[in-house]
Amino acid sequence: MSKFQLKWGILATGGIAETFARDLWPSPEIRGVKDIEHVVVAAASSSSADRAQKCLKEVRAPESAKAYGSYKELVNDPNVDIIYVATPHSHHYQNAMLCLEAGKNVLCEKAFTTNAAQTELLIKKAKEKNVFLMEAVWTRYFPLSIYVREIITSGKIGTVYRTTADLSNADPPETSFDDSHRMVNPDLAGGALLDLGIYALTWVFQTLYHTQKNPQPPSSVLSALKKYRTGADEQTSILLTFPREEGGDAHGIATTGLRTASDPDKKGSAGPAIRVQGSKGEIQVFPPAYRPTKTKLVLHDGTVEEREFPQPGPDKSKGWKNGFGGDWNPDGEGHGMFWEADECAYALRDGRKEGQYESLQESLVIMKVMDEVRKQNNLVYPEKIETTEYPVDL
Ligand SMILES: NC(=O)c1ccc[n+]([C@@H]2O[C@H](COP(=O)([O-])OP(=O)(O)OC[C@H]3O[C@@H](n4cnc5c(N)ncnc54)[C@H](OP(=O)(O)O)[C@@H]3O)[C@@H](O)[C@H]2O)c1
């Protein structure tokens, strides 16, 4: 049987662009995926073709891969099937629109855009061009996430009443980031909410919203937000009410911050970062919320089941490793971004135009919640990055 090959173009050459592209190198067979394969055929940097070339080398792309010094050249490369947009959130709308206008399929990093109006227009454009579009919330595609959702839909924890989810990284912003860094810079839509809070919201949504036959948007959104000296948010707490098909309203509590830690000793001693609680017990997920590898099912009848979900990778003799932001995983261990890449390959092979574990509609509902949180707390970004106008030079 011949394999379906997906040809990737990488737009931007920063931290996550390299992590993602590196994860495309190991054979999918390592994770039991036998009918598709990935190849990086091009990368583009907004600063120089040399930078793109360096990135291609770093991620072990084939010698034939093209290096471009502008995003425009990349979107016009007929050899590219799909483009992974890996710029800061502030730039996603302009960059993804550039790809869609050129008729390219798109996987766009989280947060999808700066606001819901921009997401809505990307969805509209993808429909008009009849191309695939997906928000790159990689965690949704992990076997661990599939397992957690099945625990809920199978009724194992009974009627679901509440999910609490936290993603907080206690690296004090003053000492970790220059004020111009994308994590805290309002010009780049920085702050905890769009960067980390999206994962806490992902867990609340994939357990309380996605697990329903006819999911309804939250009937109420309450929030508190504390600002950093730059004007971006440094701590945000959100309380959502989900009308559930069984058992009435459930509560979703999503918290995020730059001064507290989900996992203070980085050994999991503080316990789960996510708890989904129902009438028969709960399913727990251990930190970090973006790349969890451990769950624990605790039921009222005394059942306790721990499960590990290590990220597969090539054997150590291949001299391959991956990681993010200077933190390397053990040699040969995958990062886990390949699960979402596999989903893109299956969707394109089968003619689907969106991801199966987070529809475009769900991404839009989450963007609307983040808009509401910002509105309640008077958090606005510069007009240049909130605008729905296109094209705008950023
Ligand atoms: N899924 C995950 O686990 C994960 C982890 C981290 C980040 N992310 C997301 O990925 C995106 C990028 O994050 P990152 O950590 O990779 O950021 P980064 O290291 O700062 O890289 C961003 C890249 O975007 C390009 N860029 C274009 N215009 C820019 C501008 N005005 N300022 C800064 N960069 C600009 C640059 O590449 P060129 O100039 O070469 O084009 C730059 O290297 C964000 O949306 C973030 O939320 C996801």
Side-chain angles (χ1 to χ4, degrees):
M1 190 180 69
S2 72
K3 294 187 183 200
F4 177 83
Q5 187 186 63
L6 189 57
K7 298 195 216 88
W8 288 89
I10 310 294
L11 188 150
T13 61
I16 206 63
E18 286 202 359
T19 306
F20 177 82
R22 230 181 263 120
D23 247 12
L24 297 179
W25 183 81
S27 164
E29 294 204 8
I30 288 163
R31 49 188 181 273
V33 173
K34 299 197 163 65
D35 43 2
I36 54 163
E37 57 188 20
H38 303 282
V39 59
V40 175
V41 297
S45 167
S46 59
S47 54
S48 75
D50 280 356
R51 175 76 200 106
Q53 190 61 57
K54 254 180 84 184
C55 171
L56 287 168
K57 190 153 183 267
E58 190 66 41
V59 305
R60 299 191 178 183
E63 293 273 314
S64 55
K66 297 254 172 52
Y68 296 115
S70 77
Y71 299 160
K72 272 200 181 120
E73 288 170 277
L74 176 70
V75 305
N76 288 318
D77 182 337
N79 195 33
V80 169
D81 295 327
I82 183 166
I83 295 181
Y84 170 61
V85 174
T87 48
H89 336 304
S90 48
H91 290 48
H92 291 174
Y93 176 65
Q94 297 295 331
N95 298 154
M97 193 61 96
L98 178 76
C99 302
L100 295 173
E101 283 285 7
K104 290 296 189 208
N105 300 296
V106 173
L107 173 66
C108 179
E109 254 313 327
K110 44 54 63 174
F112 214 165
T113 51
T114 304
N115 56 46
Q118 293 180 341
T119 294
E120 212 151 12
L121 287 176
L122 290 184
I123 295 172
K124 198 168 157 220
K125 184 57 71 180
K127 291 218 163 95
E128 183 191 314
K129 295 282 184 179
N130 197 28
V131 294
F132 172 86
L133 175 64
M134 187 172 111
E135 185 181 5
V137 186
W138 57 316
T139 320
R140 290 237 180 193
Y141 297 86
F142 286 12
L144 177 149
S145 289
I146 294 168
Y147 162 78
V148 170
R149 294 192 299 261
E150 278 170 6
I151 290 286
I152 295 164
T153 53
S154 67
K156 260 214 162 124
I157 58 167
T159 302
V160 179
Y161 298 133
R162 180 169 67 192
T163 295
T164 55
D166 178 60
L167 178 58
S168 301
N169 280 345
D171 299 320
E174 294 85 356
T175 48
S176 308
F177 311 114
D178 192 87
D179 285 357
S180 64
H181 191 279
R182 71 162 191 84
M183 280 300 295
V184 291
N185 182 353
D187 293 343
L188 298 176
L193 176 65
L194 262 65
D195 199 83
L196 306 177
I198 181 82
Y199 286 105
L201 285 169
T202 288
W203 277 103
V204 164
F205 268 82
Q206 71 167 334
T207 55
L208 299 180
Y209 177 95
H210 191 81
T211 49
Q212 306 211 77
K213 286 196 180 73
N214 293 303
Q216 300 299 315
S219 54
S220 76
V221 178
L222 298 171
S223 64
L225 179 153
K226 185 178 173 192
K227 286 187 185 168
Y228 184 51
R229 67 184 183 200
T230 57
D233 67 307
E234 64 168 48
Q235 178 164 290
T236 297
S237 306
I238 307 167
L239 168 58
L240 303 172
T241 305
F242 287 88
R244 296 269 302 171
E245 281 145 11
E246 196 214 319
D249 286 351
H251 292 169
I253 300 153
T255 54
T256 185
L258 302 177
R259 291 188 196 278
T260 54
S262 311
D263 187 17
D265 65 357
K266 299 205 165 64
K267 291 182 190 149
S269 309
I274 295 123
R275 294 173 76 184
V276 188
Q277 300 173 297
S279 55
K280 293 186 186 166
E282 66 183 73
I283 178 79
Q284 305 175 339
V285 181
F286 286 74
Y290 52 85
R291 187 178 179 267
T293 54
K294 186 179 154 192
T295 61
K296 191 173 182 180
L297 180 69
V298 185
L299 300 181
H300 296 170
D301 68 7
T303 304
V304 178
E305 270 175 34
E306 290 192 28
R307 283 193 62 169
E308 298 278 349
F309 293 83
Q311 293 292 358
D315 74 67
K316 286 182 188 163
S317 69
K318 301 282 191 303
W320 178 92
K321 60 180 178 176
N322 205 353
F324 176 74
D327 281 340
W328 292 101
N329 307 320
D331 284 6
E333 181 182 301
H335 199 62
M337 304 199 83
F338 34 64
W339 301 113
E340 66 178 354
D342 292 350
E343 168 64 4
C344 295
Y346 283 125
L348 290 188
R349 185 194 69 176
D350 300 342
R352 283 189 281 119
K353 303 298 174 199
E354 51 190 310
Q356 61 174 323
Y357 298 144
E358 184 175 17
S359 66
L360 290 168
Q361 183 57 29
E362 186 168 350
S363 285
L364 181 61
V365 173
I366 295 176
M367 283 308 310
K368 284 185 177 167
V369 166
M370 293 201 287
D371 275 6
E372 176 59 24
V373 169
R374 291 204 293 126
K375 193 170 137 209
Q376 287 177 9
N377 297 281
N378 193 26
L379 175 59
V380 275
Y381 302 120
E383 174 56 21
K384 205 171 167 174
I385 63 166
E386 293 260 22
T387 185
T388 52
E389 261 175 54
Y390 171 85
V392 170
D393 264 342
L394 294 177

